[in-house]
Amino acid sequence: MPDSRHDTCALLWASLAVASALLSSSSLADDVILIGGGYTPLRSEAQIEANVIWAQETLRQQGLAVETWFTDGNASGADVVTVEHTEGSPTEPLARVFGDRYLERLRYREHQVQNVTGSTDADELLPTLQTRLADSDDDVLLVYNGHGSESSGQPADVSISLWNDSSISAREMHELLADSDTSFRYIFTQCFSGGFHRLAYEDADQGLALSEPPRCGFTAESAYRLAEGCSASLAIGDYRDYSTYFFAALSGRDRAGKYILNDPDLNEDGIISPREAHLFTLEEAHSADLSRSSSEDYLEAWQPWYLRWLPRQPQLPDNEYARLYRNIATRLGIELDNNTAKQLKLDIRTLQARLHELTLTRTSLRQRERELQDLMIQSLMRQYPALLGPYTAGFAELVNSGTIFDIANSIAATPDYTDLVAMQSSDDALDTQLLETERELVQRMKLLRMRRLAHLVDQLARHGSQLSQDRYAALLSCEERPLQ
Amino acid sequence: MPRRYRFSLFPIVLAAFITVISWPVFVACATAIGYFMGESWQLEAWHQEPRLHLLNYFSEGWIASAPIAVGIGILAAIDWLLFARKRLLSFFAGVLLPLAGASAALLLWHDPMELLPTLACTGVALAIAYRMAEFARRVTD
């Protein structure tokens, strides 16, 4: 039975994808600017590359013209880092003892993204973006997949981290868009990406007056939180960032190629709009991201002082966020009644305490790990002082004579090494537990956020001025417009 | 300062006191009710937004609510003039504050139950603060 259901779903999705492509090809195309990659080879994880390739394919399948900017562009030199999961290299015992266990597993290579226009170095990208945005007659969609930095001041000072340690802040992008006459939409998946929602407003710093022409978009996180996807686990399915779900909704398949089972097409018009993809992401993502759209950002900023502090009514109004709340709660097995919100807060406190406990355990474990490493290093130094300087002639001699492998073998034979490996395995297990606990915690935070948004939509309808309601409707309309 | 001046200045001091504390008391009541109901935005935001933002929202509300707070302060002064000075009526001193809160919710708000518990609680808390101020006046008199 499950197989036949899966086949039916697959058939439905294939039909939908074809219909979507046909509809798309008959309209004017959005210009897509896809920017991706890290800011140095060490922070240019292959998972970002995988997401960029996937986003590129998905958007092209939608009939869109995609211009891709990735790390160093077409320059030669390693610009992507992968993590090898295989253990047991001849030098592994040394790497474990000298604290280079993570670096030992890293491998660097050229990126494999096709049709790259240029480098994301801000010096190269910024002028090109300026020209592209000023000259474009079509709507522009900007998709960013990479890292981001937080701001100690205004949300508009958050930035995307680009190649060669350069960056572009939301404020700079806001200035770039000042000369543009076309509609602009964005998808930012990096940490602290929420600050880029200020692009939707006329003023980068304050106020609720919207930009003209309209701008809207989606971010993986608020301006104050890290996003998931910063981990370097590279096996497909291990990492789940905003684009993992967003592009799955657009393409009808997940990143591993499996058809998605839940239909993101809420209005059943046969086309998945960016907003539908976002709502799908909110519902389906079991990740550590608290994603948001520009219209949601607007709702939160709009709430007037006399409503902001009031306790909400336990009864939820009837809207799409209430539906999402109920669906997510059901998926998580959370009972829905008048005490649910209270219970969610208790759960959050419990999970936060668990996170704290895990962090303390890890800190103490790492402390013991370091003490053991120091003891082992001291013992090794007495026998092989050349190990002290890994870039010296004495060290090179150890390597050339093959002594380094004998040292590694002798380390591996000690009981201390067995203890160290056990500690480091526990450390890895703790990392996994921390990530899982964080995901569980964020799911509950998301439920509370869905409740809040459900009430905010209702409050805007009841208490908002006509102007406020028109602005919200304009953002919704911008988010709902299909990619074409 | 002569006793009669202190006595006639007291309603002004009381009005100013109630004006200043109205918003913090409103926020405290809303937070307490929200805590017990599990429906407070501020407790959710505590872990998700910079604390400075909460402080900004609080200050924004304090400034924006000032005209209403002045009205509440004047009401407290009127209440004191009506009730607190007379031995028999002093039992009711402060009663206008919760009554005004409940009336505002019932008469002015689209959905009274959204506001009634918070405004009634704020009124009661302000009445308690008023009675304490009056007690302090009597002790120091």
Side-chain angles (χ1 to χ4, degrees):
Chain A
M1 279 305 283
D3 280 343
S4 68
R5 187 165 163 253
H6 190 85
D7 287 348
T8 317
C9 271
L11 198 64
L12 272 171
W13 274 110
S15 321
L16 196 59
V18 171
S20 183
L22 285 173
L23 278 163
S24 305
S25 61
S26 62
S27 346
L28 273 175
D30 275 74
D31 281 345
V32 181
I33 300 171
L34 176 59
I35 302 170
Y39 47 94
T40 60
L42 183 63
R43 293 311 315 274
S44 187
E45 294 85 353
Q47 66 204 47
I48 298 176
E49 182 197 42
N51 272 340
V52 168
I53 293 171
W54 190 45
Q56 197 185 46
E57 278 171 14
T58 306
L59 292 165
R60 287 206 170 121
Q61 277 164 14
Q62 305 269 318
L64 300 164
V66 183
E67 198 174 287
T68 309
W69 302 76
F70 194 83
T71 57
D72 63 0
N74 297 310
S76 60
D79 57 353
V80 166
V81 61
T82 62
V83 179
E84 296 294 316
H85 286 284
T86 51
E87 291 183 349
S89 78
T91 50
E92 187 192 321
L94 280 162
R96 282 183 181 271
V97 171
F98 282 90
D100 292 330
R101 189 164 65 106
Y102 179 67
L103 287 175
E104 160 83 4
R105 290 158 60 191
L106 299 185
R107 303 287 182 272
Y108 299 91
R109 61 165 170 78
E110 284 271 9
H111 73 74
Q112 293 165 353
V113 183
Q114 301 293 310
N115 304 313
V116 171
T117 308
S119 165
T120 63
D121 188 323
D123 288 341
E124 184 180 337
L125 185 64
L126 214 53
T128 319
L129 269 183
Q130 193 162 21
T131 319
R132 283 281 280 103
L133 291 169
D135 294 349
S136 181
D137 294 328
D138 296 321
D139 294 348
V140 173
L141 170 70
L142 189 144
V143 181
Y144 175 75
N145 210 307
H147 294 287
S149 307
E150 66 183 317
S151 141
S152 53
Q154 295 287 330
D157 291 321
V158 300
S159 55
I160 50 175
S161 306
L162 300 169
W163 191 244
N164 268 342
D165 270 326
S166 59
S167 64
I168 299 178
S169 68
R171 185 185 305 284
E172 286 171 309
M173 203 164 275
H174 195 278
E175 284 164 15
L176 277 185
L177 288 162
D179 299 330
S180 172
D181 293 328
T182 55
S183 166
F184 179 83
R185 293 190 285 182
Y186 52 84
I187 299 165
F188 287 100
T189 63
Q190 77 279 14
C191 303
F192 314 109
S193 45
F196 278 84
H197 282 308
R198 286 310 303 177
L199 295 179
Y201 301 95
E202 199 176 79
D203 188 309
D205 286 319
Q206 56 187 354
L208 293 174
L210 299 182
S211 64
E212 190 55 51
R215 298 174 208 147
C216 65
F218 309 91
T219 62
E221 258 301 342
S222 73
Y224 316 107
R225 280 174 47 94
L226 286 164
E228 181 163 332
C230 295
S231 85
S233 58
L234 298 170
I236 290 226
D238 266 0
Y239 61 99
R240 312 160 186 176
D241 72 350
Y242 184 75
S243 52
T244 307
Y245 299 91
F246 189 90
F247 288 106
L250 284 183
S251 71
R253 292 166 184 252
D254 67 17
R255 201 172 39 203
K258 287 184 188 159
Y259 285 101
I260 53 171
L261 295 177
N262 280 354
D263 185 359
D265 188 14
L266 298 174
N267 59 4
E268 297 177 347
D269 63 352
I271 301 170
I272 311 301
S273 71
R275 180 169 173 75
E276 284 171 328
H278 170 70
L279 295 177
F280 174 85
T281 306
L282 286 179
E283 185 171 341
E284 293 293 315
H286 191 80
S287 69
D289 286 345
L290 271 174
S291 316
R292 54 207 62 216
S293 68
S294 40
S295 59
E296 291 159 10
D297 182 76
Y298 177 83
L299 280 175
E300 287 175 300
W302 160 81
Q303 196 177 31
W305 62 271
Y306 52 90
L307 292 173
R308 190 175 292 277
W309 299 87
L310 279 181
R312 296 181 298 252
Q313 296 300 297
Q315 297 79 23
L316 276 184
D318 184 19
N319 56 43
E320 60 195 359
Y321 292 108
R323 180 190 62 79
L324 282 177
Y325 167 76
R326 283 188 282 268
N327 290 354
I328 298 168
T330 307
R331 180 166 54 77
L332 294 174
I334 291 168
E335 205 175 318
L336 292 169
D337 55 33
N338 279 349
N339 281 323
T340 306
K342 211 170 172 179
Q343 187 56 46
L344 282 173
K345 287 207 174 82
L346 285 175
D347 288 353
I348 285 173
R349 273 211 291 276
T350 310
L351 286 163
Q352 277 168 338
R354 172 99 183 111
L355 266 181
H356 183 63
E357 190 187 307
L358 285 170
T359 310
L360 287 180
T361 309
R362 191 173 64 173
T363 307
S364 135
L365 182 72
R366 285 187 176 171
Q367 178 64 33
R368 284 189 286 128
E369 195 181 311
R370 265 195 301 277
E371 284 167 10
L372 184 57
Q373 282 170 326
D374 287 346
L375 276 176
M376 293 175 82
I377 289 169
Q378 277 169 25
S379 159
L380 281 169
M381 287 305 171
R382 278 194 289 272
Q383 265 186 290
Y384 308 102
L387 284 174
L388 191 65
Y391 313 111
T392 58
F395 189 88
E397 207 171 290
L398 285 180
V399 175
N400 292 335
S401 63
T403 315
I404 197 91
F405 302 113
D406 297 337
I407 300 170
N409 289 336
S410 69
I411 294 171
T414 61
D416 277 350
Y417 182 72
T418 313
D419 289 347
L420 185 66
V421 171
M423 278 183 194
Q424 290 174 342
S425 302
S426 304
D427 194 338
D428 290 344
L430 276 171
D431 261 352
T432 311
Q433 282 181 52
L434 273 165
L435 180 62
E436 269 313 311
T437 311
E438 174 83 15
R439 282 174 177 165
E440 286 297 322
L441 171 68
V442 168
Q443 292 310 298
R444 272 124 192 111
M445 286 178 166
K446 185 160 71 177
L447 281 170
L448 289 177
R449 190 172 142 71
M450 292 303 108
R451 282 184 79 89
R452 177 156 193 248
L453 289 170
H455 282 290
L456 280 171
V457 170
D458 181 56
Q459 283 183 346
L460 179 70
R462 290 191 292 126
H463 302 286
S465 64
Q466 192 55 49
L467 178 65
S468 306
Q469 294 189 32
D470 289 347
R471 284 173 176 166
Y472 180 63
L475 285 171
L476 282 185
S477 155
C478 174
E479 291 169 8
E480 280 163 357
R481 202 172 65 248
L483 299 174
Q484 21 183 280
Chain B
M1 187 185 287
R3 190 167 168 268
R4 68 191 166 93
Y5 284 134
R6 269 189 287 160
F7 191 78
S8 52
L9 269 179
F10 184 72
I12 299 167
V13 173
L14 180 68
F17 172 59
I18 295 295
T19 299
V20 171
I21 68 166
S22 284
W23 177 250
V25 167
F26 172 82
V27 170
C29 281
T31 307
I33 293 171
Y35 174 78
F36 288 114
M37 288 167 62
E39 294 286 354
S40 56
W41 155 81
Q42 50 273 47
L43 297 177
E44 292 159 23
W46 190 254
H47 296 290
Q48 292 175 34
E49 287 191 37
R51 306 277 153 85
L52 186 65
H53 279 209
L54 287 177
L55 188 64
N56 287 342
Y57 287 133
F58 179 80
S59 321
E60 180 202 358
W62 210 342
I63 294 162
S65 65
I68 300 169
V70 168
I72 298 168
I74 292 169
L75 186 70
I78 294 168
D79 182 292
W80 185 81
L81 292 169
L82 288 176
F83 299 115
R85 294 182 308 164
K86 297 175 177 69
R87 192 174 292 274
L88 278 175
L89 289 174
S90 65
F91 181 73
F92 297 101
V95 74
L96 288 186
L97 295 171
L99 278 180
S103 309
L106 290 168
L107 299 173
L108 304 175
W109 206 247
H110 180 256
D111 178 7
M113 282 316 291
E114 199 177 4
L115 203 57
L116 185 64
T118 308
L119 285 192
C121 168
T122 307
V124 170
L126 287 176
I128 292 169
Y130 158 159
R131 296 284 283 255
M132 285 167 72
E134 167 64 1
F135 177 74
R137 184 193 68 79
R138 285 186 185 196
V139 168
T140 55
D141 214 12

